[in-house]
């Protein structure tokens, strides 16, 4: 059973690193262009990073873990808001 937990932590670490890299790239693009789309995407990947870290550090997965997924839902909603905002801005 311990091997499964180790693999889960490893995968969580890899996902967290990927989210961090994506957030930094979008932050770099936002600083260069000033486009809010990139800022929204950077913020959403930071939320995904924090959610993955919280899940990896959680010791009790039996309890109330709904809030971890509310963070993920918020990140995806932020991506949708960014896309809608970008499309509305180009039409004006």
């Amino acid at each position: 059973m311990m091997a499964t937990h180790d693999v889960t932590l490893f995968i969580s670490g890899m996902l967290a690193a990927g989210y961090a890299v994506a957030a930094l790239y979008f932050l770099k693009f936002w600083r260069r262009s000033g486009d809010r789309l990139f800022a929204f995407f950077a913020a959403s990947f930071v939320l995904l990073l924090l959610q993955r870290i919280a899940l990896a550090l959680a010791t009790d997965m039996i309890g109330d873990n709904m809030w971890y997924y509310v963070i993920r839902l918020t990140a995806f909603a932020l991506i949708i808001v960014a896309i809608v905002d970008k499309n509305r801005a180009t039409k004006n």
Side-chain angles (χ1 to χ4, degrees):
M1 190 61 111
M2 186 57 133
T4 304
H5 181 67
D6 291 341
V7 170
T8 302
L9 284 178
F10 178 75
I11 292 172
S12 290
M14 294 294 290
L15 285 169
Y19 291 147
V21 168
L24 289 174
Y25 270 111
F26 282 120
L27 190 61
K28 181 176 91 169
F29 295 146
W30 171 70
R31 289 181 56 119
R32 285 185 181 174
S33 69
D35 192 352
R36 290 189 327 182
L37 176 79
F38 296 129
F40 280 123
F41 271 65
S44 66
F45 277 102
V46 167
L47 283 174
L48 289 170
L49 168 67
L50 294 175
Q51 186 261 347
R52 182 51 58 181
I53 291 172
L55 273 175
L57 295 177
T59 57
D60 181 27
M61 291 305 295
I62 305 297
D64 185 27
N65 60 3
M66 177 189 74
W67 294 108
Y68 301 123
Y69 297 101
V70 169
I71 296 171
R72 184 181 288 183
L73 178 66
T74 304
F76 289 131
L78 193 57
I79 290 172
I80 292 170
V81 167
I83 293 169
V84 169
D85 180 62
K86 181 68 173 178
N87 287 331
R88 282 184 22 165
T90 58
K91 289 181 181 177
N92 291 335

